Amino acid sequence: MSFYTSLCSSLIFPLHEVLKKHSTVRVRRDMERSQWWSPQQIRQAQLKTLRLFLSDVQAHVPYYRQLFAELGLDVAQIELSELSRLPLLTKAEIRQHLPEMSADDAEGLARFNTGGSSGEPLIFYIGRRRVSHDVAAKWRATRWWGVDIGDPEAVIWGSPIELGAQDKIRLLRDKLLRTHLIPAFEMSAEKVDGFIRQLQQIRPKMLFGYPSALAHIAGRAEQTGVRLDDLGVKVAFVTSERLYDHQREKIESVFGCPVANGYGGRDAGFIAHQCPHGGMHITAEDIIVEIVDKDGKPLPNGELGEIVVTHLATRDFPFIRYRTGDMGILSEKMCGCGRGLPLLEELQGRTTDFVVALDGTVLHGLALIYVLRDLEGVEAFKITQESLEKTTVQIVKSASYRDEAEQKIVAEFKKRLGQAVTVNIEYTDYIPKERSGKFRYVISHVKP
Ligand SMILES: [Zn+2]
């Protein structure tokens, strides 16, 4: 670790956090101890925190005070298995009860909105306590990879909204902590060449961004014969989208570093992060993850279902059994690193990544993605399932694209979706991203 990095990690960033009245440093230190506890010890600590959290919520949050009373629930004595007696929290529920969802003594509430990509916007609030915990969890996961706050970092971000919200203090902080923002909303070849030159100047120790954006930049560097594996990048952190194997391979080979996947969101919190042994560790000190079926019933470990989270540091604006809309599996395996933090497996991205065949079969979007990925000359694509009967494929083609490919796509899609389905193919020069800046390969307007 360089002198400047240790200065940032041990002095500048902690000072910044103290000024913002965050307890991040203490929380991170505690988490670096508890990550080595046994799974049983971690569950015991979770239960203790859950009871304190729900009692606090009962005393201060009108919506939950009433709900607990209606359910006749003694939250101070609740067991982990009884959590499922509480209803699931949806975005619609939060919208409807927004005024009664904040604690009467909430501290430092900041307003956020999210949900642009799911088409379901949500306004919610985050208190000071929660910020400390989410930042601490991210910081801990960063340090798993032998890098730290203060190491030069390139953040390749696609959202113009977030960049617009930047103020001068944030810019100063980024400068001190050596975070360089690369606004990668537009991904034309010219722009991407510019990003590559920027990366060569910054020589970041870590990269952070959407897997699609990093893989795209890596692909362009490879195509144009620019080497990026000699910059000294130690790790590429990716988040916000499903990470596909082909993206991981591309990023790893071009930047010459491992890819670390992270899962979470502003709304749901810092849910899980990959360690160098490959395990996707849940931030179990703060977040209880349940996997539920389509009726909201909890599923046993090992079964695929929707990820539901209870964030124990959200007393100012509680997220209790919050539906993420993402699919995953809770694992019983232990990670080779020896951390007792439970593992999340088979993260299957957004539920809208699924498509529905004419006969009602629900397919993962990958079933369609593979058809296009195997074709020569397809530079970029986007699949939109408009209705059960109609699916549109947008394709950016290169010179090696052959006309027979069109029949192949239609035939393969019909095989999966049903023979009576209409498959439209449109050719375009550029496929724009979602407003949120994310790129989605498959969008379905059909509800399973
Ligand atoms: Zn691990």
Side-chain angles (χ1 to χ4, degrees):
M1 196 186 282
S2 76
F3 173 70
Y4 189 80
T5 300
S6 71
L7 188 71
C8 281
S9 176
S10 62
L11 192 69
I12 299 177
F13 186 65
L15 187 64
H16 168 268
E17 291 296 290
V18 168
L19 290 174
K20 292 193 87 172
K21 297 194 176 147
H22 292 164
S23 53
T24 315
V25 178
R26 181 184 53 75
V27 177
R28 192 211 81 211
R29 275 198 205 120
D30 290 348
M31 281 183 171
E32 287 190 336
R33 260 194 303 273
S34 53
Q35 64 184 344
W36 300 109
W37 293 351
S38 71
Q40 293 85 333
Q41 263 177 303
I42 290 174
R43 261 197 303 278
Q44 273 164 19
Q46 246 182 358
L47 177 61
K48 202 173 143 202
T49 314
L50 176 69
R51 287 173 174 175
L52 289 171
F53 165 66
L54 291 181
S55 303
D56 192 11
V57 166
Q58 185 172 39
H60 293 286
V61 182
Y63 173 79
Y64 279 104
R65 188 182 308 135
Q66 197 188 336
L67 184 70
F68 297 162
E70 279 167 18
L71 293 169
L73 208 60
D74 180 8
V75 293
Q77 293 303 318
I78 197 170
E79 294 298 329
L80 284 172
S81 58
E82 289 176 303
L83 190 59
S84 59
R85 285 181 57 193
L86 289 163
L88 294 175
L89 181 65
T90 60
K91 291 190 171 78
E93 208 71 35
I94 295 176
R95 266 198 300 275
Q96 201 184 332
H97 300 285
L98 195 64
E100 308 127 70
M101 305 250 342
S102 301
D104 53 21
D105 60 346
E107 269 186 51
L109 279 189
R111 186 177 181 272
F112 283 93
N113 58 67
T114 184
S117 62
S118 63
E120 229 194 320
L122 172 71
I123 292 165
F124 62 98
Y125 294 88
I126 288 185
R128 213 170 265 151
R129 181 181 169 78
R130 169 159 174 191
V131 175
S132 301
H133 282 250
D134 286 351
V135 174
K138 181 172 184 252
W139 192 1
R140 168 174 72 176
T142 302
R143 286 160 57 99
W144 289 344
W145 292 86
V147 285
D148 206 336
I149 287 181
D151 279 323
E153 178 187 29
V155 176
I156 291 134
W157 215 238
S159 171
I161 304 153
E162 278 167 63
L163 289 175
Q166 278 220 322
D167 53 23
K168 282 189 182 144
I169 293 170
R170 172 115 184 253
L171 285 173
L172 176 67
R173 188 199 70 184
D174 286 350
K175 200 169 178 182
L176 279 172
L177 301 179
R178 300 198 285 189
T179 296
H180 303 262
L181 268 172
I182 300 182
F185 188 61
E186 238 187 275
M187 282 289 200
S188 62
E190 226 170 280
K191 290 261 181 189
V192 174
D193 290 341
F195 302 150
I196 292 171
R197 281 193 297 275
Q198 262 178 289
L199 286 172
Q200 287 174 314
Q201 276 161 13
I202 299 165
R203 302 185 70 82
K205 275 240 169 73
M206 47 187 169
L207 302 172
F208 185 82
Y210 297 123
S212 60
L214 287 178
H216 190 80
I217 292 170
R220 175 74 187 166
E222 196 178 51
Q223 229 175 45
T224 52
V226 180
R227 266 190 76 173
L228 294 174
D229 59 354
D230 53 0
L231 296 181
V233 181
K234 285 176 111 176
V235 55
F237 295 110
V238 298
T239 188
S240 291
E241 290 173 339
R242 191 195 150 94
L243 167 66
Y244 292 102
D245 289 341
H246 69 276
Q247 294 172 329
R248 181 188 283 277
E249 285 157 22
K250 183 72 75 189
I251 298 166
E252 290 187 341
S253 72
V254 172
F255 288 103
C257 72
V259 170
N261 198 6
Y263 168 58
R266 277 249 163 84
D267 48 351
F270 194 86
I271 300 172
H273 205 279
Q274 213 164 28
C275 81
H277 283 255
M280 193 80 178
H281 290 283
I282 294 170
T283 312
E285 296 93 338
D286 281 340
I287 294 179
I288 297 176
V289 172
E290 295 171 90
I291 302 294
V292 304
D293 67 13
K294 64 180 194 318
D295 303 316
K297 285 208 191 69
L299 289 167
N301 289 355
E303 281 188 38
L304 177 70
E306 184 177 348
I307 299 168
V308 165
V309 295
T310 298
H311 194 318
L312 304 172
T314 58
R315 53 95 54 211
D316 296 308
F317 189 93
F319 277 76
I320 299 171
R321 303 199 79 220
Y322 176 67
R323 294 185 70 155
T324 63
D326 298 326
M327 306 287 280
I329 295 174
L330 268 179
S331 168
E332 266 173 13
K333 286 187 207 127
M334 282 289 288
C335 184
C337 71
R339 291 182 180 86
L341 300 172
L343 302 178
L344 201 56
E345 265 183 13
E346 278 291 317
L347 216 53
Q348 299 216 353
R350 311 276 144 184
T351 40
T352 45
D353 265 349
F354 292 84
V355 290
V356 187
L358 258 185
D359 65 3
T361 310
V362 179
L363 300 167
H364 194 275
L366 271 176
L368 302 180
I369 287 174
Y370 281 141
V371 176
L372 286 143
R373 265 194 26 218
D374 289 337
L375 289 174
E376 264 233 281
V378 176
E379 295 239 310
F381 64 85
K382 182 174 181 174
I383 301 161
T384 309
Q385 182 170 42
E386 327 257 13
S387 67
L388 266 183
E389 294 79 25
K390 188 180 163 199
T391 291
T392 300
V393 190
Q394 286 172 291
I395 294 175
V396 179
K397 58 180 180 178
S398 70
S400 59
Y401 185 83
R402 286 186 299 182
D403 292 338
E404 300 93 85
E406 203 167 301
Q407 288 133 42
K408 183 159 183 221
I409 295 168
V410 174
E412 293 294 325
F413 273 43
K414 284 186 173 208
K415 221 189 269 176
R416 291 162 175 78
L417 298 173
Q419 289 302 328
V421 166
T422 307
V423 181
N424 274 342
I425 298 181
E426 293 171 10
Y427 298 101
T428 172
D429 290 327
Y430 176 67
I431 297 174
K433 277 187 260 189
E434 304 294 309
R435 254 178 59 97
S436 65
K438 293 181 194 178
F439 189 86
R440 291 166 75 206
Y441 296 90
V442 181
I443 291 178
S444 177
H445 299 303
V446 181
K447 289 260 174 277

